[in-house]
Structure formats: C-alpha cells, structure tokens
Amino acid sequence: MGEFIAERRRQIAFDMLQHANLVFQCVLVATIIAIALAVLINRVRALEPVANAVSAVGLTLPSFALVGLLLPLSGLGTTTAFLCVVFYAVLPVLRNAVVGLAGVDRTLLESARGMGMGPVGVLLKVQLPLAWPVILAGVRTSMQMSMGIAAIAAYVLGPGLGAYIWTGLVQTGGANALNYAVVGTVGIVIVALVADLLLLALGRLTISKGVRVA
C-alpha cells in the first residue's frame, strides 16, 4: 500500500482536489437554488407539501437511475456528474431552508417591517440570519451526501476519487485492486472530514453569538 501511494501521490492529491472542487461547487450551486426555492415556498405556503413530496421522492431515486436519465442529454463527463450531484445536494438544503425560514418568529418580522424595512431587507437582515443555523445544518448534510454521490458519478467519467473505487471493483482479484479501492474510499473520507471542519468554521464566522446561544 505504501509503495502504491508513493508512486501515485501526486495523482492522488490532484484527484482529491478534483473531488473536493466538484462537491464544493455543486453544494454552492445547490444551496443558492435551495434558498431561492425556500424563499418562494415561504411566501406561497401552498407549495410546501409539493416541495416535501419532491424532496422525499428525490432522495429515494437511485443515483444510477438519475445518471442513466442524464446520459442521453449531457453525455459522459463532468457535466453529467455535476448535474447529478447538484440534484441530490439541493434536497437536504431545501428541506432545512423551508423549516428554518418558517421557524422565524413572526413578531420579529412585523417589528422589522414596522421599522421601515422592505421585503428584501427583512429577508437579508432578519429571516436569513435567523434561519442560517438550520440551513447550514442542511448544507453540512448535503456536503457529506454529495461526497458519496460524486464517487458514483465517476461511472460517467466524472472527476475525483470515484475512479479509484471503480478501478478496484473492475480489477477484483488483481494485484492492486484492493489498493485502488482503499485509496479511493479513504481519500473520500478525508475530504469529507476536512469539508465538514470548514463548514463548522464557517458557522462560527457567520452565525452570531446571540443566535448560537438561542
């Protein structure tokens, strides 16, 4: 194992960065989409059951099935991997964003409006800051889930560490099959842990002490 890693250390490091880059970009895009949808749902409450149903169905949809649906449209490569990961990454964030925005005290919203804040000001200065801890918890869940989805996306030649796992499976019984599988799996775990620590640090920086205490 030591020799295997030493011979490929640069490529492994590059693939770890590629994996992290794919997941971070997908989760960022997914978070923006999810928050925008949650704001819409918060204003049109009739959409909430629909959003919950879509989230529930989406989370039960096998990733291989989604990859199969996307292949005729986007083909092999990064685009299909990106779309697949974004789809799954949206779901946990959307659920938490809907709950977080709905949980903001209506009295605070009325007070903000009484001080002359418009809808955008209330959203940016009151609702999102108060809902952010719940939203961030969804982002953390989404990040961890996306690490595994990104590995599966390697089936369509997406970037990252998933290729090591697939190579190990294809070469089962071969000299380096176990090495490939272990490096891919452990590498994803390491990237996931680092990503979670970064999100914890982000929470420390972006969540006010008053909200954390509450």
Side-chain angles (χ1 to χ4, degrees):
M1 177 65 73
E3 292 181 3
F4 179 87
I5 295 174
E7 291 173 359
R8 299 166 176 81
R9 60 184 182 278
R10 291 185 179 179
Q11 185 62 44
I12 293 171
F14 176 77
D15 288 330
M16 289 178 73
L17 288 174
Q18 287 284 84
H19 199 94
N21 184 49
L22 173 64
V23 173
F24 271 90
Q25 288 188 41
C26 290
V27 172
L28 177 60
V29 172
T31 300
I32 294 171
I33 293 171
I35 291 176
L37 290 174
V39 170
L40 175 63
I41 292 166
N42 189 58
R43 298 188 185 281
V44 185
R45 303 303 300 181
L47 294 175
E48 186 172 354
V50 178
N52 290 335
V54 171
S55 295
V57 172
L59 288 172
T60 60
L61 180 67
S63 51
F64 274 118
L66 180 59
V67 167
L69 292 173
L70 290 174
L71 271 176
L73 301 174
S74 50
L76 294 172
T78 304
T79 301
T80 298
F82 182 85
L83 293 174
C84 183
V85 177
V86 167
F87 174 82
Y88 286 103
V90 165
L91 304 177
V93 185
L94 177 59
R95 279 189 169 184
N96 278 42
V98 170
V99 171
L101 290 174
V104 176
D105 193 334
R106 297 296 171 185
T107 305
L108 296 176
L109 300 180
E110 291 300 326
S111 298
R113 295 188 188 101
M115 294 172 62
M117 285 189 187
V120 176
V122 172
L123 174 65
L124 297 179
K125 296 182 179 181
V126 180
Q127 286 180 288
L128 285 180
L130 291 175
W132 179 237
V134 180
I135 296 172
L136 184 59
V139 174
R140 289 178 63 190
T141 301
S142 177
M143 183 72 75
Q144 299 305 307
M145 186 176 70
S146 297
M147 291 292 174
I149 300 298
I152 294 174
Y155 180 74
V156 291
L157 305 182
L161 292 164
Y164 289 84
I165 298 175
W166 286 112
T167 301
L169 292 174
V170 170
Q171 295 182 1
T172 299
N176 286 319
L178 181 61
N179 292 336
Y180 274 110
V182 170
V183 167
T185 303
V186 174
I188 290 172
V189 171
I190 292 172
V191 173
L193 290 174
V194 171
D196 198 52
L197 290 174
L198 291 175
L199 288 177
L200 283 173
L202 177 64
R204 283 286 178 181
L205 293 173
T206 57
I207 300 174
S208 68
K209 291 183 179 179
V211 174
R212 287 204 299 267
V213 170

